[in-house]
Amino acid sequence: ILTIFGNSAVLATAVKRSSLLKSPELLTVNLAVADIGMALSMYPLAITSAWNHAWLGGDASCIYYALMGFLFGVCSMMTLCAMAVIRFLVTNSSKSNSNKITKNTVCILIAFIWLYSLLWAILPLLGWGYYGPEPFGISCTIAWSKFHNSSNGFSFILSMFLLCTVLPALTIVACYLGIAWKVHKAYQEVQNIDRIPNAAKLEKKLTLMAVLISVGFLSSWTPYAAASFWSIFNSSDSLQPVVTLLPCLFAKSSTAYNPFIYYIFSKTFRCEVKKLQCCCGWGVHSFSSDTSAEHPASIMWSG
C-alpha cells in the first residue's frame, strides 16, 4: 500500500509538472515506475500465497514471479547507478556542459536500462541459470541452491553478481565519494556559511537525497544477498525458514522508501502531495502554493 500510493504520488507530480522536469529527473520517474511495477506484478501473489501457507499456482506462476522480481530489481539498481553517474558529471562540470545531458539522452539511457534488465531476466528462460521457489516456499526467485552443483548455474550467478550488483554498487559509491569531496572542497573555500550560494546549498541537499535513496536500496537488499549466497555454497536446509523469509521481506520493502525521502527533502513535492490530498478529499486544509523558495526543477531530484 505504501509503495503504490507513494510512488503513484511521485508519478502524478511528475506528470502534472512535466514541462518543468529536468532531464535527470526522468531517472527518478523511471525508479518510481520500477517500484510500482514490482508492487503490482508481484506483491498480490506473494501475499495470497502467504495467507495460503504455500505457493499458489504451479511452475508458470513461479517463473513469472521470479522474472518480474529480477527485471524490476536489476532496473532499479541500474537506474540508481545512472543517477549517481549523472549527478557526478553535473557536479564536476560547468553549467554549459551539464546542459548537454538532454532529455533525449536520458530517454535513450532509460531504454538501455530496461533492455539490459530484460536481457538478464530472460537468460534463465534460455537455459543459463534457473528460476525456482524460495526456501520458505511462498515466493520464487533465482534458484540459488541449484548452483553449487552446476557449472552453468554458477557462471550465471558469478556474471550476474559482478555486472548487476558489484560494478553498479562500486560505481555508486565512487561517484558519491567524488561528489562529497567536491562539495567539501567548495565549502572549505567559503569560510562564512552565510556566503555560500543557494545553488551550492541546493546541490548539497539534492546529493544527500540521492545518497539516501541509494543507501536505502543497497541496505535493503544486502541481507537477502547474504542469505542467497549462503544457499549457493550450503544446503538450504541449513537455514531456518524465518532466516530466509525476513531478508526477502526486507528487500521488498525497498520499493516504499523513496517517496518518503522525496517528501522530506523537497518542498515542492510536499506541496504537490498536499494538493493531491485536497483533490482526493482527504480533508487537508488549504495552504499557500507558493514554492518560490525552491527552484521548480528540484521537484524530486535534479541535475
Side-chain angles (χ1 to χ4, degrees):
I1 292 173
L2 291 176
T3 297
I4 292 173
F5 279 98
N7 287 286
S8 294
V10 174
L11 296 179
T13 300
V15 170
K16 184 178 179 181
R17 309 196 60 166
S18 57
S19 61
L20 298 175
L21 288 178
K22 293 297 184 180
S23 51
E25 288 183 303
L26 296 176
L27 290 170
T28 303
V29 176
N30 190 56
L31 189 61
V33 170
D35 288 342
I36 201 170
M38 181 178 288
L40 293 175
S41 65
M42 298 172 59
Y43 295 174
L45 190 55
I47 292 170
T48 52
S49 296
W51 282 105
N52 189 54
H53 298 282
W55 179 253
L56 290 176
D59 293 339
S61 63
C62 184
I63 292 175
Y64 158 79
Y65 183 93
L67 187 145
M68 290 295 104
F70 202 11
L71 171 65
F72 291 121
V74 174
C75 180
S76 296
M77 185 65 171
M78 300 310 297
T79 300
L80 291 172
C81 181
M83 289 170 63
V85 171
I86 289 181
R87 282 220 55 78
F88 177 80
L89 294 176
V90 169
T91 303
N92 290 274
S93 301
S94 63
K95 184 176 178 62
S96 59
N97 289 332
S98 64
N99 290 334
K100 293 180 180 180
I101 304 177
T102 63
K103 287 188 176 182
N104 287 336
T105 302
V106 176
C107 287
I108 293 173
L109 178 60
I110 290 173
F112 173 79
I113 288 172
W114 280 104
L115 290 174
Y116 184 81
S117 305
L118 181 62
L119 172 64
W120 279 102
I122 64 175
L123 283 175
L125 303 182
L126 301 178
W128 194 31
Y130 314 95
Y131 285 137
E134 300 266 20
F136 49 86
I138 57 173
S139 70
C140 296
T141 185
I142 299 171
W144 306 98
S145 59
K146 292 184 178 181
F147 295 142
H148 63 279
N149 293 325
S150 169
S151 58
N152 173 44
F154 188 78
S155 63
F156 171 77
I157 283 296
L158 183 61
S159 301
M160 183 273 293
F161 180 66
L162 290 175
L163 298 177
C164 298
T165 305
V166 174
L167 289 180
L170 290 178
T171 302
I172 290 171
V173 172
C175 287
Y176 287 131
L177 285 177
I179 294 173
W181 177 252
K182 179 78 174 181
V183 173
H184 173 71
K185 296 297 290 184
Y187 271 64
Q188 274 191 331
E189 294 174 0
V190 182
Q191 300 296 328
N192 187 352
I193 191 69
D194 295 328
R195 295 176 58 191
I196 297 177
N198 289 334
K201 294 179 181 178
L202 178 60
E203 179 73 20
K204 181 179 180 180
K205 184 174 73 169
L206 295 174
T207 299
L208 178 60
M209 182 172 68
V211 168
L212 289 177
I213 292 170
S214 299
V215 168
F217 183 86
L218 294 175
S219 60
S220 297
W221 283 92
T222 297
Y224 180 76
S228 299
F229 266 81
W230 175 270
S231 299
I232 296 175
F233 300 103
N234 301 274
S235 172
S236 298
D237 297 333
S238 61
L239 294 175
Q240 294 295 324
V242 68
V243 177
T244 57
L245 173 62
L246 292 180
C248 182
L249 295 178
F250 188 47
K252 299 296 192 297
S253 71
S254 65
T255 58
Y257 300 154
N258 295 343
F260 291 98
I261 297 175
Y262 304 146
Y263 192 86
I264 292 172
F265 282 87
S266 175
K267 179 181 178 182
T268 307
F269 182 63
R270 287 196 301 272
C271 291
E272 292 297 333
V273 169
K274 291 177 181 178
K275 290 180 181 179
L276 288 174
Q277 290 175 334
C278 292
C279 292
C280 295
W282 292 352
V284 179
H285 297 291
S286 61
F287 62 99
S288 173
S289 59
D290 181 15
T291 57
S292 59
E294 184 179 9
H295 193 282
S298 60
I299 300 169
M300 296 165 290
W301 185 91
S302 171

